[in-house]
Amino acid sequence: MEGVTWLLATIGIALILAKIGDSIIERFELPGVLGELIMGMILGNLVYFGYVAPQYLPIVSGAGYESVLNQIAEFLAKLGIIFLLFLGALDTDIEQLKKTGLTATVSTVLGVFVPLVLGWWALMARGYPSREAFAGGVLLTATSIGLTVRVMMDLGVLRSEVGAASLSASVMDDFLGIALVIFAVGSGDLLGLSLKIVAFFFITGVLGWYFIDHYIRFAERLHVENGILGMAIGMMFLFAALAEGWFAAAIEGAFMMGLILSKLPEGKRMMEDVRAIGYGLLIPLFFVHTGAMLNLRVFEHGDAITLAAVLSVIAVVGKIVGRGFGAWITAWGRGREFLFTRENFWMSLQMGIGSVPRTEVALVDLMVAIHGGAIPSSDAPKFIAATLIFITVSVLITPPLLEWAFKAEIEKAKAEKAAQKVGRIQETKER
């Protein structure tokens, strides 16, 4: 029972520090999620540098930290990203999603292709065999959808054209990343994966879309407190279980459930309840846990730093150029006359910056590549350290970059809120 005591204490410390970090960072007019990541990094490195024994602070996970308590902490963090994607989808404007479908698709393909090819070429130029270099390129393809969604929600731009396109593009990113790592390793069944993806979207997207009304009406007839909320979250977990079982991507199931619920008034009404559960407990735990993955000891490895410098530059530039150019050439569906406008360039740059962060997906792809033999065991320590470094860089630079990219939209929203507040004050005085 002593282990449970330390786990509960760790959760409490993580939540308190997350909110303190939020508050401190927001005073510098930066997204609060950066504070949660930094607090997580501090907690994690207390363990990595040996100041606190891992059993007393079970916030880290991975090789060497595989106790039951660490696995529970990792599971709670996973619930956080599941709720974040569910909430993000609930807050999505379906019409914006339809409107930006072509832009999202083209930018996804180029956003995967450009860093993949650049990484492959750069590693081959440094003397790595073609198969190993290709596996290294695959590590650069997947975007951390959780961080992008959280920052865009905090900035109030998730419902914009860029926000909707970034959300759907990041979901497609995950599926392409899964297919690429299977191809790189040379194991697994791409045809079987394709069939599962089609079946998944048929079950969740088509059947779910048409039967969700009947399901919500059934939940209403139960006449129990928060019945609709409980039934919706229950179905969200079933969707997540289906996606996790088929392609180890529970967040895609949560996203699909949120998306089909977003068309109903009940879906919009439950947002505040879901937000309270998410932001009050699970979502901060996810970002503290993500920060705790960033082991600063990796900077002690000279060879890894050189490799990480190459991967980091390609990871950032490749995504911005690839996804940004993909969005730019579509002109956001507004025709050729919009192509060379400043607005098209700026929206496409925002789209590219939103694809910069990498976290758990890159680590999963790396482990699959190592265990599958695409990256030999002799190079595995160097690649692990380099991957952790470029993940750290991408995670820490994304929130301020997004804040900068959406500065005009943020200022406009602030001005509108100020005008509304003045209007309400004037109405009160007139009464």
Side-chain angles (χ1 to χ4, degrees), residues 11-35:
I11 293 171
I13 291 168
L15 285 174
I16 292 169
L17 290 181
K19 295 306 177 183
I20 292 173
D22 262 354
S23 177
I24 293 172
I25 292 297
E26 285 177 357
R27 292 178 187 180
F28 294 95
E29 297 188 350
L30 290 169
V33 65
L34 188 58

Side-chain angles (χ1 to χ4, degrees), residues 8 53 94 103 138 328 430:
L8 291 173
I94 294 290
T103 298
V138 171
W328 180 79
E430 289 173 2

